[in-house]
Amino acid sequence: MSGDFLPFTPVAGYRKRLLIEWKFCVRRLPPIYARPLARLIEELQKLPGVGPKTAQRLALHLLKRPDSEVQALAQALVDAKSQIGYCSICFHLSAEPVCDICRSPSRDAQTICVVADSRDVIALEKTREYKGKYHVLGGLISPMDGIGPEQLSIGQLVHRVNKDKIQEVIIAISPTIEGDTTTLYVGQLLKPFTRVTRIAFGLPMGGDLEYADEVTLARALEGRRELD
Amino acid sequence: MYLKTLELRHFRNYTAQGVEFTAPKTILLGDNAQGKSNLLESVELLATLKSHRTSRDRDLVQEDETSGSISATVQRDLATLDLSLILRSGGRRTAIRSGEKLRRQMDFLGALNAVQFSSLDLDLVRGGPGERRTWLDTLLMQLEPVYAHILGQYHQALKQRNALLRQNEAQTAPTDRAQLALWDAQLAALGTRVMRRRSRGLARLAPIAQDWHHAISGHTETLTLHYAPNVPLEDDDPTIIQAAFLDKIQQRAIAELHQHTSLVGPHRDDIEFTINDTPARQYGSQGQQRTLVLALKLAELNLIESVIGEPPLLLLDDVLAELDLNRQNQLLDAIQDRFQTLITTTHLGSFDAQWLDASQILTVKAGQLLSGFTHA
C-alpha cells in the first residue's frame, strides 16, 4: 500500500494528540518528587477516598514523623493483612479462626442477623442493642457484576440455621434492588426452617416528617405498627 | 409558574449567558444552529432532568470544558425558587434547589413544570412505541415525581435480569432457574407499579385530549387513547397483574433463553391512538396526525395545570411553522397569557402582528442572545 511509505499517516486528530503528548513531556521532564516519595504518593492514591492532594499531604506528613512511628504503621499494615481473615462461622473479619462474637457465650446463639458486609456488622455493633450473632454474606446478588448466590455465603447460612436450631433470622440489608432481591432469596430459603424477619425502613430519628422524601415515607407507611 | 431568569454557563454552545424573561411569551429568533433549541433544552432539563436530544451529560457541556451549569429563578404561586443544575462531562450532576444541594435528584423534579412541543413530537404517532413510552413517562414524572424513582428501579431490575439471561448463554444448565425466578418476581412487582401508574396517567389525559381533538378537528373526529400494555391489564388489582405478569414470563421463557433478553414487561408497552375507530398510525393523514399531537400537548398542559395547581411552561421548538394557520390559532388561543411560552423560530413571518407586539423577542446568534430584532 502506498500509505506504508509515508513517514506518518495523517489521521484525524493527530495534531491534537501530538499537542497532548508534548504537554505530557513538559510536565514529566523535571521530576517534582524524589522517586521513593513519588512511589509512596502513588500507593496512597490507590486507597479509597484518597486523591492526589490528600496522598501528597499524607506522604509529606509521614516523612516528618519519627522513624519508630512510621515503622509501627508499616508493621500494623503488614500484621493486619497477614493476621486478619474471615471467621469460619459468620464470615466477619476476625484474627482468630472463629470471631469474638461467635465465641462469646453471652450472646444469643439462636438469633442470626444477616448483613451484606463486615462494615454493617460494625455499624450494628455500635448500637449495642443487638445481642445475637451475625452472618456476613460478602456482597449482594447482582448478575451485572457476575455475583450470584454461589459467590455469597448463603449455603453456609442455610447450613448454620439447620445445624444450630436458630429461632430467628433478622435480615438487615439495604433496600436497593439488589438488596431486595438478595433478601427475597435468603428469605425463601430460610422460611421453611425458621422465623425470618427484616429490619424496618422509615424515618431517621430526629428527622422531620415534612422533609422526608416520598419513597421513604411510603415505605414508612407500609411498615407502620400498632401503638403500644 | 413563571420562569423569571435563566443563566447558562458552558452549556452546549453558550459560554456565559443570562436572560430575563419579561413577557409571558418569548420568541427566540435566529438562523439554524445558533442555539435556540439549546436554550429550550436547558429549560427541559430543569423540568425533567432529561433531554430528549441526548442522554449523556458530556454532550451538554460546552466542548473542552469539564463542567457547565444551568441556573434559573422560578416564580411560583407561593414562593420564588432558585434552581441550579451543574453538569459534568465526566461525572455526576449536582442539583441545587434554593441553595440546598439535593442528595437525591428526584427531589429536584416538580420545581419547574414544562411541556415540550418540538417538531420531533410530530413523529409521535408514526414513530416507534419507544417514543410513545418516553412521552408518557416524561409526563408522568412531572405529575408524580415518585414515578421517576419507580421507573428507575424497574430499569435496574430489568438490567440485572438481562445480565443474568446473558450469563445463561454459556451454561444452559437449569441451575440458575431459582435465581431467574427471583428476578422474575422483582420485575413483576416493579413492572406492575409502572403499568398501573401508566394506565392511571393515561386515563386522566385521555378525556382532555379527546375534547381538544374534537374542538380542533371541527367536531368531526373522535380520538381515543388506548394503553396497550405488554402484560394484560384487565384488573387494577396489583396481585392479579403480578400473576398475569409471571404467567406471561412463563409463556415466553424459552424465547427469552434464546434471545438472552427480557421479552415481557412495561419496557415493551405501547400506546395506541385511534381516530374514529381507525388506528391513527396507519390511516391518519399528515394533517390528522398533527391535530392529534397538538391535542395531546394541549391536554398535557391542562392536566399538569390541574394537578400542580399552576400553569406549566410551554416550550415550542420550531413547531409553529409546521402547523397550518387554523391549528396555530387554536394553539395560541389555548395558551393566551396563562401559560408562559418560549418559542423558537427562524422567521417572524408566520406570527400574528398583535401577538408579536405582546411578545419579548430575543435574537439568538452563535450562542449569544441579543434583545430585540432588526428587520432584514
Side-chain angles (χ1 to χ4, degrees):
Chain A
M1 270 182 61
S2 63
D4 293 339
F5 300 105
L6 289 169
F8 63 85
T9 325
V11 287
Y14 83 98
R15 263 148 71 106
K16 196 171 174 185
R17 209 153 59 221
L18 277 181
L19 197 71
I20 292 168
E21 275 165 21
W22 179 76
K23 270 193 202 158
F24 197 56
C25 289
V26 169
R27 202 185 283 173
R28 283 194 73 175
L29 272 176
I32 300 165
Y33 303 116
R35 267 193 78 77
L37 178 56
R39 233 191 91 202
L40 176 58
I41 293 175
E42 199 78 0
E43 290 298 327
L44 286 171
Q45 259 195 70
K46 292 179 186 164
L47 300 175
V50 178
K53 283 200 176 139
T54 313
Q56 179 188 311
R57 212 178 75 218
L58 291 174
L60 294 179
H61 174 82
L62 285 173
L63 291 182
K64 275 191 221 142
R65 307 309 301 167
D67 279 4
S68 60
E69 205 174 289
V70 178
Q71 202 64 252
L73 175 64
Q75 197 58 48
L77 286 173
V78 174
D79 286 353
K81 182 61 194 164
S82 64
Q83 289 168 18
I84 300 280
Y86 295 105
C87 167
S88 60
I89 297 175
C90 73
F91 298 92
H92 181 39
L93 293 173
S94 168
E96 315 284 334
V98 174
C99 73
D100 292 341
I101 299 173
C102 286
R103 272 184 301 156
S104 166
S106 62
R107 287 215 163 225
D108 174 7
Q110 295 189 322
T111 310
I112 293 180
C113 180
V114 179
V115 295
D117 202 275
S118 270
R119 270 178 305 172
D120 303 330
V121 174
I122 296 164
L124 282 161
E125 277 302 283
K126 279 187 185 155
T127 67
R128 294 178 198 281
E129 285 296 316
Y130 179 63
K131 297 283 179 260
K133 307 214 164 169
Y134 290 96
H135 192 90
V136 180
L137 295 179
L140 297 172
I141 297 174
S142 172
M144 280 159 80
D145 305 305
I147 302 175
E150 320 78 60
Q151 276 78 33
L152 307 173
S153 62
I154 293 176
Q156 291 90 331
L157 173 65
V158 177
H159 181 69
R160 219 179 133 190
V161 168
N162 274 325
K163 192 180 59 131
D164 297 347
K165 308 231 165 18
I166 300 298
Q167 296 297 309
E168 183 179 357
V169 171
I170 304 168
I171 302 179
I173 292 176
S174 310
T176 58
I177 294 294
E178 292 75 18
D180 285 345
T181 308
T182 311
T183 303
L184 206 65
Y185 185 75
V186 173
Q188 278 174 5
L189 282 179
L190 296 179
K191 270 271 175 66
F193 308 114
T194 182
R195 177 172 180 231
V196 183
T197 55
R198 184 176 192 188
I199 57 164
F201 297 102
L203 301 176
M205 285 310 286
D208 248 320
L209 201 67
E210 61 172 323
Y211 292 124
D213 60 273
E214 293 90 334
V215 183
T216 307
L217 266 179
R219 212 127 189 189
L221 270 174
E222 271 170 30
R224 71 187 182 277
R225 59 184 206 193
E226 213 75 52
L227 199 63
D228 44 28
Chain B
M1 65 190 65
Y2 188 75
L3 180 67
K4 289 207 304 199
T5 64
L6 183 68
E7 205 183 313
L8 305 175
R9 280 190 166 273
H10 301 308
F11 178 80
R12 293 275 191 189
N13 67 338
Y14 291 91
T15 308
Q17 180 68 56
V19 205
E20 200 185 338
F21 297 102
T22 53
K25 285 183 199 67
T26 303
I27 297 173
L28 299 158
L29 178 69
D31 293 335
N32 288 324
Q34 300 299 314
K36 302 187 298 289
S37 298
N38 294 347
L39 196 127
L40 290 201
E41 187 183 27
S42 73
V43 180
E44 185 193 3
L45 272 161
L46 290 179
T48 62
L49 289 173
K50 283 197 164 65
S51 161
H52 68 283
R53 297 155 90 197
T54 180
S55 56
R56 298 185 309 176
D57 281 4
R58 209 181 323 148
D59 301 336
L60 299 170
V61 177
Q62 196 174 26
E63 228 174 291
D64 295 328
E65 294 291 336
T66 52
S67 74
S69 72
I70 310 166
S71 312
T73 43
V74 183
Q75 177 72 55
R76 301 284 303 244
D77 263 0
L78 298 171
T80 308
L81 294 175
D82 289 311
L83 301 176
S84 71
L85 193 62
I86 300 166
L87 306 159
R88 297 189 174 81
S89 56
R92 279 174 57 88
R93 292 172 181 178
T94 309
I96 302 165
R97 184 169 169 167
S98 299
E100 193 193 346
K101 216 191 227 177
L102 299 179
R103 211 164 43 81
R104 294 172 344 128
Q105 299 192 346
M106 198 187 90
D107 299 332
F108 196 74
L109 293 172
L112 177 71
N113 295 99
V115 172
Q116 166 107 13
F117 187 7
S118 76
S119 40
L120 285 175
D121 287 314
L122 296 172
D123 298 330
L124 205 58
V125 183
R126 205 160 263 180
E131 283 161 52
R132 286 184 286 277
R133 283 194 298 271
T134 311
W135 160 72
L136 183 61
D137 288 341
T138 312
L139 173 65
L140 283 175
M141 277 177 217
Q142 297 210 46
L143 294 177
E144 22 191 284
V146 176
Y147 183 71
H149 176 77
I150 295 172
L151 195 66
Q153 281 196 315
Y154 175 75
H155 281 298
Q156 179 69 15
L158 184 65
K159 261 162 55 185
Q160 291 281 19
R161 190 173 185 273
N162 284 342
L164 189 64
L165 286 168
R166 271 196 303 278
Q167 277 175 21
N168 284 9
E169 199 167 354
Q171 31 160 59
T172 37
T175 47
D176 278 347
R177 266 304 137 70
Q179 219 197 128
L180 196 60
L182 213 61
W183 289 106
D184 291 353
Q186 286 280 28
L187 202 71
L190 294 163
T192 302
R193 298 179 75 184
V194 171
M195 286 163 57
R196 289 183 68 212
R197 280 181 195 258
R198 277 185 183 167
S199 151
R200 208 164 60 198
L202 204 63
R204 289 166 89 179
L205 187 75
I208 314 174
Q210 193 169 52
D211 285 349
W212 274 117
H213 191 264
H214 209 60
I216 301 169
S217 66
H219 306 279
T220 53
E221 293 173 347
T222 309
L223 167 72
T224 351
L225 303 185
H226 178 65
Y227 179 45
N230 179 262
V231 173
L233 180 108
E234 273 134 23
D235 217 302
D236 196 41
D237 186 346
T239 49
I240 296 176
I241 303 169
Q242 275 187 40
F245 204 122
L246 292 170
D247 255 13
K248 185 147 184 197
I249 289 181
Q250 282 295 318
Q251 287 168 25
R252 305 300 309 270
I254 294 163
E256 283 191 335
L257 279 178
H258 282 286
Q259 296 187 30
H260 307 295
T261 186
S262 300
L263 299 174
V264 178
H267 61 289
R268 299 205 153 214
D269 282 353
D270 199 355
I271 295 127
E272 286 162 5
F273 304 121
T274 50
I275 298 171
N276 292 343
D277 297 326
T278 48
R281 188 171 178 188
Q282 284 132 26
Y283 301 105
S285 71
Q286 194 81 349
Q288 273 178 321
Q289 295 191 12
R290 277 172 193 207
T291 305
L292 201 164
V293 176
L294 181 58
L296 288 181
K297 291 291 160 182
L298 291 171
E300 274 182 62
L301 279 177
N302 288 142
L303 183 60
I304 293 180
E305 188 186 10
S306 72
V307 170
I308 308 296
E310 283 181 62
L313 259 66
L314 176 62
L315 312 173
L316 295 178
D317 195 359
D318 253 352
V319 81
L320 223 46
E322 302 231 15
L323 299 175
D324 61 31
L325 267 179
N326 175 35
R327 291 194 186 94
Q328 266 188 38
N329 286 335
Q330 290 271 6
L331 176 62
L332 300 179
D333 261 5
I335 302 168
Q336 292 187 338
D337 271 349
R338 228 150 38 91
F339 300 99
Q340 184 185 7
T341 310
L342 308 183
I343 304 162
T344 68
T345 185
T346 46
H347 53 274
L348 295 175
S350 58
F351 289 90
D352 188 64
Q354 217 180 341
W355 234 74
L356 286 178
D357 285 342
S359 304
Q360 174 189 20
I361 299 171
L362 299 168
T363 305
V364 184
K365 200 164 166 79
Q368 299 228 301
L369 290 180
L370 310 159
S371 190
F373 66 101
T374 44
H375 283 286

